[in-house]
Amino acid sequence: MSDRFHAAPDPGAPHPKAAPPPKVPDPGAPVLEMRSIVKTFPGVRALSDVSLTVARGEVHAICGENGAGKSTLMKVLSGVHPHGSYEGEVLFQGEPCAFKDIRASEARGIVIIHQELALVPYLSIAENIFLGNEHATRGVISWHETLLHASRLLKRVGLSEHPGTRVADIGVGKQQLVEIAKALSKEVKLLILDEPTAALNDDDSAHLLDLILELKEQGITSIVISHKLNEIAAVADSVTVIRDGRTIETLDVRDPATSEDRIIRAMVGRDLDHRFPDRTPHPGDPGAEPALEVRGWTVHHPIDQQRKVVDDVSLRVRRGEIVGIAGLMGAGRTELAMSLFGRSYGRNISGSVHKDGREIRTRTVPEAVGHGIAYVTEDRKQYGLNLIDSIARNITTAALGKVSRRGVVDEHEERRVAESYRRSMNIKTPTVFEQVGRLSGGNQQKVVLSKWIFAGPDVLILDEPTRGIDVGAKYEIYTVIDQLAAQGKAVVFISSELPELLGMCDRIYTMAAGRLTGEVSRAEATQEVLMRHMTTDKR
């Protein structure tokens, strides 16, 4: 008999053992459970008995003050902190997880998008999407298949760019969407977004939030870490509050009792009756010369030198005054600030800068610092801090002469200075010799402010000083700014958050397309008035 014919089974023979059917997740069970997670670093316990339950198909927000442990918890979940480096249990789709690295969690469909995007700027969009997960046969990449698949993913996230476009040639908002397309390419089931809108403008933020809701409709569960409570209200179903490394509570966002004040109270452990300190303006003698006066300031783009990014701007700030600058993205606020601070930005700069009635030269950063001008950049990680150096060295770096003798840094004095700022600024760290890169965003911002306060400036330019910082840390920084003004410092306050400008400033200038379009007093300022000026191009 041909061996392609088989004899009938013997009815007396034992029945072969059938393979068990694949386990089907219970649709009513949570997609994720993290039970009693404890994570310790040298000298500090970052997480202490944290538990989290996320329902299938929901958008679950996590909020808390900077340093509360939110990002650490997500790094435990995604395998950045591998199994064995923490205590507790993680269950995904009902099964225990022991991820040894991030590739292991991605293989299960858990993908995390960090606040600092992990894209290679000089590779194309398509190359970034499939980096480490290439469409290849025997080591040869199929570019046709790569571009075709990338185009489908870009369409799914609402990006019209060609997949061959370099990532460096698109904005941060679009880069965030590329990261989500990359997650979708890995058949994501649980998407974790860490402060996804921190660096985005209002339009890009709205588009991203809409996309999160669209992904929810497609059955993808999301965890969103955010300080922006209005965004949590817009997209989240539930919110878990973490404070000091512990789970405080989980709230139903749809419950009318879950107000912003309710969440803030859970975050900071107390009622925050006022978002801003009670401000009593202390401007100097109205007859005195302004501490800072800028006249006819014009700045051209560093590459396209025919284009003016700051056009004939004139402004003044008196001692003891907090003066805001409002404007939409691209209005020229940061370009103005950087060009004033030692011409750090731009070409063909013209105009004049006057301090206490006397014209000064600020052609370089040391010249600007020497004239008592300090600039707190909006990008603290790239321009404000040395992330691999200590807190102590970062605090003293702008005024090393104050802690040096005959050109040699006195380390005992440097430590004493750093310790005084650690206490006065409430920088949460076990030691001032901790690397700044290991601090939370809010504590990093306090280090930047400490650095420039120690330099002893007369004029302090603050560019988005509370970006990416929780409400509790914001209040602390607002209090410091208010104290600086009370000491007679002249403060220029640049912010994209209109309530912040209204709550902190004595006067507010508005900008659009590089030009000043209005000047509004504290008494007259409302969000509507500011927005009207910000959208008017007086050319």
Short mmCIF file of all heavy atoms in Angstrom, two decimals, residues 199 297 299-300 302 309-310 313 315 324-346 349 375-380 383 461-465 467 492-496 511-516:
data_model
loop_
_atom_site.label_atom_id
_atom_site.label_comp_id
_atom_site.label_asym_id
_atom_site.label_seq_id
_atom_site.Cartn_x
_atom_site.Cartn_y
_atom_site.Cartn_z
N ALA A 199 6.00 69.34 24.25
CA ALA A 199 6.74 70.23 23.35
C ALA A 199 5.92 70.64 22.13
O ALA A 199 6.47 71.17 21.16
CB ALA A 199 8.03 69.54 22.89
N TRP A 297 14.75 96.58 17.70
CA TRP A 297 15.52 95.31 17.58
C TRP A 297 15.01 94.48 16.41
O TRP A 297 13.84 94.13 16.33
CB TRP A 297 15.39 94.53 18.88
CG TRP A 297 16.42 93.45 19.07
CD1 TRP A 297 16.23 92.11 18.97
CD2 TRP A 297 17.79 93.64 19.42
NE1 TRP A 297 17.39 91.44 19.22
CE2 TRP A 297 18.37 92.36 19.52
CE3 TRP A 297 18.58 94.77 19.66
CZ2 TRP A 297 19.72 92.17 19.83
CZ3 TRP A 297 19.92 94.59 19.99
CH2 TRP A 297 20.47 93.30 20.07
N VAL A 299 16.04 91.07 13.84
CA VAL A 299 16.87 89.87 13.72
C VAL A 299 16.47 89.13 12.46
O VAL A 299 15.27 88.93 12.20
CB VAL A 299 16.69 88.94 14.95
CG1 VAL A 299 17.57 87.70 14.82
CG2 VAL A 299 16.98 89.68 16.25
N HIS A 300 17.46 88.72 11.67
CA HIS A 300 17.20 87.93 10.47
C HIS A 300 17.46 86.45 10.73
O HIS A 300 18.27 86.09 11.58
CB HIS A 300 18.08 88.41 9.31
CG HIS A 300 17.71 89.78 8.81
ND1 HIS A 300 18.09 90.93 9.46
CD2 HIS A 300 16.99 90.18 7.73
CE1 HIS A 300 17.63 91.99 8.81
NE2 HIS A 300 16.95 91.56 7.75
N PRO A 302 18.93 82.82 10.60
CA PRO A 302 20.34 82.46 10.41
C PRO A 302 20.66 81.81 9.06
O PRO A 302 21.80 81.87 8.61
CB PRO A 302 20.62 81.49 11.57
CG PRO A 302 19.28 81.00 12.00
CD PRO A 302 18.32 82.12 11.74
N VAL A 309 12.90 87.50 11.49
CA VAL A 309 12.17 86.73 12.49
C VAL A 309 11.78 87.62 13.68
O VAL A 309 10.85 87.30 14.42
CB VAL A 309 12.99 85.51 12.98
CG1 VAL A 309 13.12 84.48 11.87
CG2 VAL A 309 14.37 85.94 13.45
N VAL A 310 12.51 88.71 13.87
CA VAL A 310 12.15 89.75 14.84
C VAL A 310 12.24 91.07 14.09
O VAL A 310 13.28 91.38 13.51
CB VAL A 310 13.10 89.75 16.06
CG1 VAL A 310 12.71 90.87 17.03
CG2 VAL A 310 13.07 88.40 16.76
N VAL A 313 11.38 95.52 17.08
CA VAL A 313 10.74 95.37 18.39
C VAL A 313 11.36 96.35 19.39
O VAL A 313 12.58 96.46 19.50
CB VAL A 313 10.90 93.92 18.90
CG1 VAL A 313 10.56 93.83 20.39
CG2 VAL A 313 10.01 92.98 18.09
N LEU A 315 10.78 97.45 23.58
CA LEU A 315 10.08 97.17 24.84
C LEU A 315 10.92 97.66 26.02
O LEU A 315 12.11 97.96 25.87
CB LEU A 315 9.78 95.67 24.98
CG LEU A 315 10.93 94.67 24.88
CD1 LEU A 315 11.68 94.54 26.21
CD2 LEU A 315 10.41 93.30 24.46
N GLY A 324 5.28 90.13 30.69
CA GLY A 324 5.07 88.94 29.89
C GLY A 324 5.20 89.21 28.40
O GLY A 324 5.01 90.34 27.93
N ILE A 325 5.53 88.15 27.65
CA ILE A 325 5.50 88.19 26.19
C ILE A 325 4.67 87.01 25.73
O ILE A 325 5.00 85.85 25.98
CB ILE A 325 6.90 88.14 25.57
CG1 ILE A 325 7.74 89.32 26.05
CG2 ILE A 325 6.80 88.13 24.05
CD1 ILE A 325 9.14 89.37 25.46
N ALA A 326 3.54 87.31 25.07
CA ALA A 326 2.61 86.28 24.59
C ALA A 326 2.67 86.22 23.07
O ALA A 326 2.91 87.23 22.41
CB ALA A 326 1.19 86.60 25.05
N GLY A 327 2.44 85.04 22.53
CA GLY A 327 2.41 84.88 21.09
C GLY A 327 2.22 83.43 20.72
O GLY A 327 2.52 82.53 21.51
N LEU A 328 1.72 83.18 19.53
CA LEU A 328 1.55 81.82 19.04
C LEU A 328 2.89 81.28 18.58
O LEU A 328 3.88 82.01 18.49
CB LEU A 328 0.53 81.80 17.90
CG LEU A 328 -0.87 82.33 18.24
CD1 LEU A 328 -1.74 82.38 17.00
CD2 LEU A 328 -1.51 81.49 19.33
N MET A 329 2.94 79.99 18.27
CA MET A 329 4.18 79.40 17.76
C MET A 329 4.62 80.14 16.50
O MET A 329 3.81 80.42 15.61
CB MET A 329 3.95 77.92 17.43
CG MET A 329 3.75 77.05 18.65
SD MET A 329 5.21 76.85 19.68
CE MET A 329 6.19 75.78 18.63
N GLY A 330 5.92 80.45 16.43
CA GLY A 330 6.43 81.16 15.27
C GLY A 330 6.32 82.67 15.36
O GLY A 330 6.68 83.38 14.42
N ALA A 331 5.84 83.17 16.52
CA ALA A 331 5.68 84.62 16.66
C ALA A 331 7.01 85.33 16.81
O ALA A 331 7.10 86.54 16.56
CB ALA A 331 4.79 84.93 17.87
N GLY A 332 8.06 84.61 17.25
CA GLY A 332 9.37 85.21 17.38
C GLY A 332 9.80 85.47 18.82
O GLY A 332 10.81 86.15 19.05
N ARG A 333 9.07 84.92 19.79
CA ARG A 333 9.38 85.20 21.20
C ARG A 333 10.75 84.64 21.61
O ARG A 333 11.59 85.37 22.17
CB ARG A 333 8.30 84.60 22.09
CG ARG A 333 6.91 85.16 21.86
CD ARG A 333 5.85 84.27 22.51
NE ARG A 333 5.92 82.90 21.99
CZ ARG A 333 5.37 81.84 22.57
NH1 ARG A 333 4.73 82.00 23.72
NH2 ARG A 333 5.47 80.65 22.05
N THR A 334 10.99 83.36 21.33
CA THR A 334 12.27 82.75 21.69
C THR A 334 13.42 83.37 20.89
O THR A 334 14.52 83.58 21.42
CB THR A 334 12.21 81.23 21.47
OG1 THR A 334 11.28 80.66 22.39
CG2 THR A 334 13.57 80.58 21.67
N GLU A 335 13.15 83.66 19.63
CA GLU A 335 14.19 84.29 18.79
C GLU A 335 14.59 85.65 19.36
O GLU A 335 15.77 86.02 19.35
CB GLU A 335 13.68 84.42 17.35
CG GLU A 335 13.51 83.12 16.61
CD GLU A 335 12.20 82.38 16.92
OE1 GLU A 335 11.43 82.87 17.79
OE2 GLU A 335 11.94 81.34 16.31
N LEU A 336 13.61 86.40 19.86
CA LEU A 336 13.89 87.69 20.49
C LEU A 336 14.75 87.48 21.73
O LEU A 336 15.77 88.17 21.92
CB LEU A 336 12.57 88.38 20.86
CG LEU A 336 12.68 89.63 21.74
CD1 LEU A 336 13.43 90.74 21.02
CD2 LEU A 336 11.28 90.10 22.16
N ALA A 337 14.36 86.55 22.59
CA ALA A 337 15.08 86.33 23.84
C ALA A 337 16.52 85.88 23.58
O ALA A 337 17.47 86.41 24.18
CB ALA A 337 14.34 85.29 24.68
N MET A 338 16.70 84.91 22.69
CA MET A 338 18.03 84.38 22.42
C MET A 338 18.94 85.41 21.76
O MET A 338 20.14 85.49 22.05
CB MET A 338 17.94 83.13 21.56
CG MET A 338 17.33 81.93 22.26
SD MET A 338 17.31 80.43 21.24
CE MET A 338 19.07 80.06 21.15
N SER A 339 18.38 86.23 20.89
CA SER A 339 19.20 87.24 20.23
C SER A 339 19.63 88.34 21.20
O SER A 339 20.73 88.88 21.10
CB SER A 339 18.44 87.85 19.03
OG SER A 339 17.25 88.49 19.46
N LEU A 340 18.78 88.65 22.18
CA LEU A 340 19.15 89.63 23.20
C LEU A 340 20.25 89.08 24.12
O LEU A 340 21.11 89.82 24.59
CB LEU A 340 17.93 90.01 24.04
CG LEU A 340 16.87 90.88 23.37
CD1 LEU A 340 15.65 91.01 24.27
CD2 LEU A 340 17.43 92.26 23.04
N PHE A 341 20.22 87.78 24.34
CA PHE A 341 21.19 87.14 25.23
C PHE A 341 22.45 86.75 24.45
O PHE A 341 22.63 85.60 24.04
CB PHE A 341 20.56 85.92 25.91
CG PHE A 341 21.43 85.31 26.97
CD1 PHE A 341 21.76 86.02 28.11
CD2 PHE A 341 21.92 84.02 26.84
CE1 PHE A 341 22.56 85.46 29.10
CE2 PHE A 341 22.71 83.45 27.82
CZ PHE A 341 23.03 84.17 28.95
N GLY A 342 23.30 87.73 24.22
CA GLY A 342 24.57 87.45 23.56
C GLY A 342 24.46 87.06 22.12
O GLY A 342 25.34 86.36 21.59
N ARG A 343 23.38 87.48 21.46
CA ARG A 343 23.18 87.17 20.03
C ARG A 343 23.32 85.66 19.78
O ARG A 343 23.98 85.21 18.85
CB ARG A 343 24.15 87.96 19.17
CG ARG A 343 24.06 89.45 19.45
CD ARG A 343 24.64 90.32 18.39
NE ARG A 343 24.35 91.74 18.68
CZ ARG A 343 24.44 92.72 17.81
NH1 ARG A 343 24.79 92.46 16.56
NH2 ARG A 343 24.16 93.96 18.15
N SER A 344 22.67 84.87 20.66
CA SER A 344 22.73 83.41 20.56
C SER A 344 21.94 82.89 19.36
O SER A 344 22.05 81.70 19.03
CB SER A 344 22.15 82.78 21.84
OG SER A 344 22.81 83.25 22.98
N TYR A 345 21.15 83.74 18.74
CA TYR A 345 20.36 83.33 17.58
C TYR A 345 20.34 84.48 16.58
O TYR A 345 20.27 85.66 16.96
CB TYR A 345 18.92 82.99 18.00
CG TYR A 345 18.02 82.65 16.83
CD1 TYR A 345 17.89 81.34 16.40
CD2 TYR A 345 17.34 83.66 16.14
CE1 TYR A 345 17.09 81.04 15.31
CE2 TYR A 345 16.55 83.35 15.05
CZ TYR A 345 16.42 82.03 14.63
OH TYR A 345 15.64 81.72 13.55
N GLY A 346 20.35 84.10 15.27
CA GLY A 346 20.09 85.08 14.23
C GLY A 346 21.32 85.69 13.59
O GLY A 346 22.45 85.51 14.03
N ILE A 349 21.82 91.36 13.03
CA ILE A 349 21.02 91.91 14.13
C ILE A 349 21.28 93.40 14.27
O ILE A 349 22.44 93.84 14.27
CB ILE A 349 21.36 91.19 15.45
CG1 ILE A 349 21.02 89.69 15.32
CG2 ILE A 349 20.62 91.80 16.63
CD1 ILE A 349 21.46 88.85 16.51
N TYR A 375 19.41 84.33 31.01
CA TYR A 375 18.37 83.77 30.14
C TYR A 375 18.13 82.30 30.52
O TYR A 375 19.04 81.47 30.41
CB TYR A 375 18.79 83.87 28.68
CG TYR A 375 17.90 83.13 27.70
CD1 TYR A 375 16.53 83.39 27.65
CD2 TYR A 375 18.42 82.17 26.84
CE1 TYR A 375 15.71 82.72 26.76
CE2 TYR A 375 17.60 81.49 25.94
CZ TYR A 375 16.25 81.76 25.91
OH TYR A 375 15.43 81.09 25.02
N VAL A 376 16.93 82.00 30.97
CA VAL A 376 16.53 80.63 31.25
C VAL A 376 15.84 80.09 30.01
O VAL A 376 14.73 80.48 29.68
CB VAL A 376 15.59 80.56 32.47
CG1 VAL A 376 15.09 79.13 32.69
CG2 VAL A 376 16.30 81.07 33.72
N THR A 377 16.52 79.19 29.30
CA THR A 377 16.05 78.70 28.01
C THR A 377 14.82 77.81 28.14
O THR A 377 14.59 77.18 29.17
CB THR A 377 17.17 77.91 27.31
OG1 THR A 377 16.66 77.26 26.14
CG2 THR A 377 17.73 76.84 28.22
N GLU A 378 14.03 77.73 27.04
CA GLU A 378 12.88 76.84 27.04
C GLU A 378 13.30 75.38 26.91
O GLU A 378 12.54 74.48 27.24
CB GLU A 378 11.94 77.20 25.88
CG GLU A 378 12.52 76.95 24.49
CD GLU A 378 11.50 77.16 23.39
OE1 GLU A 378 10.30 77.15 23.68
OE2 GLU A 378 11.92 77.32 22.23
N ASP A 379 14.52 75.13 26.42
CA ASP A 379 15.01 73.76 26.25
C ASP A 379 16.11 73.50 27.27
O ASP A 379 17.30 73.63 26.99
CB ASP A 379 15.55 73.57 24.82
CG ASP A 379 15.89 72.11 24.51
OD1 ASP A 379 15.95 71.31 25.45
OD2 ASP A 379 16.09 71.79 23.33
N ARG A 380 15.70 73.15 28.48
CA ARG A 380 16.67 73.01 29.56
C ARG A 380 17.65 71.86 29.32
O ARG A 380 18.80 71.92 29.75
CB ARG A 380 15.96 72.81 30.90
CG ARG A 380 15.01 71.63 30.95
CD ARG A 380 14.35 71.51 32.32
NE ARG A 380 13.31 70.48 32.32
CZ ARG A 380 12.01 70.73 32.15
NH1 ARG A 380 11.60 71.97 31.98
NH2 ARG A 380 11.13 69.74 32.16
N TYR A 383 20.15 73.23 26.18
CA TYR A 383 20.88 74.48 26.34
C TYR A 383 21.06 74.93 27.79
O TYR A 383 21.92 75.77 28.07
CB TYR A 383 20.15 75.60 25.58
CG TYR A 383 20.05 75.37 24.09
CD1 TYR A 383 18.80 75.24 23.48
CD2 TYR A 383 21.18 75.28 23.31
CE1 TYR A 383 18.70 75.02 22.11
CE2 TYR A 383 21.09 75.05 21.94
CZ TYR A 383 19.84 74.93 21.35
OH TYR A 383 19.75 74.71 20.00
N ILE A 461 15.48 86.80 31.93
CA ILE A 461 14.57 86.45 30.84
C ILE A 461 14.21 84.97 30.99
O ILE A 461 15.08 84.10 30.91
CB ILE A 461 15.22 86.71 29.46
CG1 ILE A 461 15.67 88.17 29.35
CG2 ILE A 461 14.24 86.37 28.34
CD1 ILE A 461 16.47 88.47 28.09
N LEU A 462 12.94 84.70 31.22
CA LEU A 462 12.45 83.34 31.44
C LEU A 462 11.63 82.88 30.24
O LEU A 462 10.59 83.46 29.95
CB LEU A 462 11.59 83.29 32.71
CG LEU A 462 12.20 83.87 33.98
CD1 LEU A 462 11.17 83.86 35.10
CD2 LEU A 462 13.43 83.09 34.39
N ASP A 463 12.11 81.84 29.56
CA ASP A 463 11.45 81.35 28.35
C ASP A 463 10.76 80.02 28.68
O ASP A 463 11.43 79.00 28.86
CB ASP A 463 12.48 81.16 27.23
CG ASP A 463 11.84 80.96 25.87
OD1 ASP A 463 10.60 80.83 25.80
OD2 ASP A 463 12.58 80.97 24.87
N GLU A 464 9.44 80.02 28.78
CA GLU A 464 8.64 78.83 29.14
C GLU A 464 9.21 78.17 30.41
O GLU A 464 9.57 76.99 30.40
CB GLU A 464 8.62 77.82 27.98
CG GLU A 464 8.09 78.35 26.68
CD GLU A 464 6.57 78.50 26.66
OE1 GLU A 464 5.96 78.23 27.69
OE2 GLU A 464 6.02 78.88 25.61
N PRO A 465 9.30 78.91 31.52
CA PRO A 465 9.96 78.37 32.71
C PRO A 465 9.25 77.21 33.39
O PRO A 465 9.85 76.53 34.21
CB PRO A 465 10.03 79.57 33.65
CG PRO A 465 8.89 80.45 33.23
CD PRO A 465 8.79 80.28 31.74
N ARG A 467 7.40 74.77 31.56
CA ARG A 467 7.00 73.76 30.57
C ARG A 467 7.30 72.35 31.10
O ARG A 467 8.38 72.05 31.59
CB ARG A 467 7.76 73.99 29.26
CG ARG A 467 7.54 72.87 28.23
CD ARG A 467 8.11 73.22 26.88
NE ARG A 467 7.28 74.21 26.21
CZ ARG A 467 7.62 74.81 25.07
NH1 ARG A 467 8.78 74.57 24.51
NH2 ARG A 467 6.79 75.67 24.50
N VAL A 492 11.45 89.22 32.53
CA VAL A 492 10.72 89.05 31.27
C VAL A 492 10.23 87.60 31.25
O VAL A 492 11.02 86.67 31.37
CB VAL A 492 11.62 89.31 30.05
CG1 VAL A 492 10.85 89.06 28.76
CG2 VAL A 492 12.16 90.74 30.09
N PHE A 493 8.92 87.41 31.12
CA PHE A 493 8.28 86.10 31.29
C PHE A 493 7.61 85.71 29.97
O PHE A 493 6.59 86.27 29.59
CB PHE A 493 7.25 86.21 32.41
CG PHE A 493 6.74 84.89 32.96
CD1 PHE A 493 6.87 84.61 34.31
CD2 PHE A 493 6.14 83.95 32.14
CE1 PHE A 493 6.38 83.42 34.85
CE2 PHE A 493 5.67 82.77 32.65
CZ PHE A 493 5.79 82.49 34.01
N ILE A 494 8.20 84.73 29.27
CA ILE A 494 7.65 84.24 28.01
C ILE A 494 6.90 82.94 28.29
O ILE A 494 7.44 82.03 28.92
CB ILE A 494 8.76 83.99 26.98
CG1 ILE A 494 9.51 85.28 26.67
CG2 ILE A 494 8.20 83.38 25.70
CD1 ILE A 494 10.77 85.08 25.84
N SER A 495 5.65 82.85 27.84
CA SER A 495 4.87 81.64 28.09
C SER A 495 3.81 81.45 27.01
O SER A 495 3.27 82.43 26.48
CB SER A 495 4.20 81.69 29.46
OG SER A 495 3.40 80.53 29.67
N SER A 496 3.52 80.18 26.71
CA SER A 496 2.43 79.84 25.79
C SER A 496 1.12 79.68 26.53
O SER A 496 0.07 79.54 25.90
CB SER A 496 2.77 78.53 25.05
OG SER A 496 3.93 78.67 24.28
N MET A 511 3.06 89.35 20.55
CA MET A 511 3.83 89.30 19.31
C MET A 511 3.10 88.45 18.27
O MET A 511 2.40 87.49 18.61
CB MET A 511 5.22 88.70 19.55
CG MET A 511 6.17 89.57 20.33
SD MET A 511 7.86 88.88 20.41
CE MET A 511 8.39 89.08 18.68
N ALA A 512 3.30 88.79 17.01
CA ALA A 512 2.82 88.00 15.88
C ALA A 512 3.75 88.26 14.71
O ALA A 512 4.10 89.41 14.42
CB ALA A 512 1.38 88.38 15.50
N ALA A 513 4.21 87.16 14.08
CA ALA A 513 5.07 87.26 12.90
C ALA A 513 6.28 88.15 13.14
O ALA A 513 6.70 88.92 12.26
CB ALA A 513 4.28 87.76 11.70
N GLY A 514 6.85 88.09 14.34
CA GLY A 514 8.07 88.81 14.62
C GLY A 514 7.91 90.24 15.08
O GLY A 514 8.90 90.90 15.41
N ARG A 515 6.69 90.76 15.13
CA ARG A 515 6.46 92.15 15.51
C ARG A 515 5.62 92.24 16.78
O ARG A 515 4.80 91.36 17.05
CB ARG A 515 5.73 92.89 14.38
CG ARG A 515 6.54 93.02 13.10
CD ARG A 515 5.74 93.72 12.02
NE ARG A 515 5.47 95.11 12.35
CZ ARG A 515 6.28 96.12 12.04
NH1 ARG A 515 7.41 95.89 11.39
NH2 ARG A 515 5.97 97.36 12.35
N LEU A 516 5.83 93.30 17.55
CA LEU A 516 4.95 93.56 18.68
C LEU A 516 3.61 94.06 18.16
O LEU A 516 3.56 94.96 17.32
CB LEU A 516 5.55 94.60 19.61
CG LEU A 516 6.74 94.19 20.47
CD1 LEU A 516 7.11 95.32 21.43
CD2 LEU A 516 6.46 92.91 21.25
#
